[in-house]
Amino acid sequence: MAFENIKVTNQYKDKVALIELNRPGAMNALNRELMTELKDALHQLDEDENVRVIVLTGNEKAFAAGADIKQMADSGAIDMLKVDQFATWDQIKKTKKPIIAAVSGFALGGGCELSMTCDMIVASETARFGQPEITIGTMPGAGGTQRLTRAVGKARAMEMVLTGKFISGEEAQEAGLINKVVPVEVYLDEAVKCAEKVAEMSPVAARLAKESVLKAFDTPLEEGLQFERKNFYMTFASEDQKEGMKAFIEKRKPDFKGD
Ligand code: DAK
């Protein structure tokens, strides 16, 4: 598939794919075309048996500075309803394989929301996370009031959403929004290393585990525990579970095939 607004490398490393947002002249602003390409690429990689983990990145200056303000500026509510870009975002959210965001520079508005849709975030020391929609007369619409609040708590989320304040990579880590903050020279390598680690695991177990952790966001505890239990049982239907436990007993490294 040919893409214009993103670059996709299916085998960036063994079993690890890389998607780079690629609108450097516009700080990787997420226009409709880019989001559709991203949805298609994620779907394609989700189906690709040689890929186990996906790394999503921008460039050193910007992961993404938000939805494309120039494209949105004159839209009416009904135009937006008709275009229904949320369907694209919803599709992205359904990716079954783990996605690791490698964030440097600005991750603002929709860019911050996109990073939070990923399963882990590795950021550079120059990263700036923010939900500045209020400064242009609107508010977050793709998870910025919900995922951010769950991650960093009410006080910080309110401040970011109501004043448009940015937080640094270090603050984001301290607040629990991201996994790791590292020097800018190595943020992509660190994200890829993390992806390679996950790619060594059973892809069946990784898929079920990701699904279970995400379930924690929208279910009461007892329902979440029941869901987790079923997925736990399900891992025992996989060859990978047999291989993993046999390898432990035989004191060797497991070779997970994804069956
Ligand atoms: N949209 C369009 N263009 C953008 C952009 C954006 N969000 N951010 C930057 N650019 C463009 C600039 O216009 C400029 O283009 P030229 O003027 O050179 O043509 C170029 O990128 C470089 O930007 P600056 O010259 O401004 O660079 P600076 O270093 O001075 O500043 C900045 C960098 C990131 C601080 C600044 O550009 C900035 O404040 N950008 C806007 C940040 C922002 O307000 N983001 C929130 C946007 S609202 C939805 C889902 C999600 C959303 C909406 C709907 N649906 C599913 C329906 C999300 C909404 C948002 O994200």
Side-chain angles (χ1 to χ4, degrees), residues 16-19 53-57 63 97-103 115 118-122 179 187-188 190-199 210:
V16 175
L18 179 70
I19 303 180
V53 184
I54 301 158
V55 175
L56 176 63
T57 195
F63 176 73
K97 290 177 184 166
I99 310 177
I100 297 171
V103 175
S115 73
C118 297
D119 303 305
M120 289 189 246
I121 305 176
V122 174
N179 296 77
Y187 77 98
L188 182 58
E190 286 293 324
V192 170
K193 263 193 226 160
C194 176
E196 286 180 295
K197 183 89 210 150
V198 179
K210 166 175 171 165

Side-chain angles (χ1 to χ4, degrees), residues 25-27 29 65-70 72 85-86 89 106 108-110 113 132-133 136 142:
M27 295 270 167
D68 192 316
I69 300 170
K70 293 167 190 165
M72 252 183 332
Q85 266 287 299
F86 288 113
W89 285 74
F106 298 108
L108 306 177
E113 292 172 317
E133 290 90 338
I136 52 168

Side-chain angles (χ1 to χ4, degrees), residues 100-104 119-127 129 168-184 186-195 197:
I100 297 171
V103 175
S104 184
D119 303 305
M120 289 189 246
I121 305 176
V122 174
S124 82
E125 286 163 349
T126 62
F129 294 87
S168 67
E170 210 169 301
E171 284 172 283
Q173 185 187 25
E174 187 244 319
L177 179 64
I178 69 170
N179 296 77
K180 199 170 189 181
V181 59
V182 295
V184 66
V186 295
Y187 77 98
L188 182 58
D189 290 346
E190 286 293 324
V192 170
K193 263 193 226 160
C194 176
K197 183 89 210 150

Side-chain angles (χ1 to χ4, degrees), residues 1-6 8 37 40 44:
M1 216 180 273
F3 298 114
E4 285 177 15
N5 300 283
I6 60 174
V8 180
E37 288 183 11
D40 291 343
Q44 196 186 82

Side-chain angles (χ1 to χ4, degrees), residues 207-236:
R207 173 177 168 173
L208 294 169
K210 166 175 171 165
E211 200 179 75
S212 301
V213 172
L214 290 178
K215 201 75 180 166
F217 285 94
D218 52 20
T219 47
L221 181 60
E222 197 47 45
E223 199 183 319
L225 288 170
Q226 292 305 324
F227 186 88
E228 177 191 75
R229 196 163 301 173
K230 291 207 172 98
N231 276 359
F232 167 74
Y233 286 144
M234 182 88 85
T235 61
F236 281 74

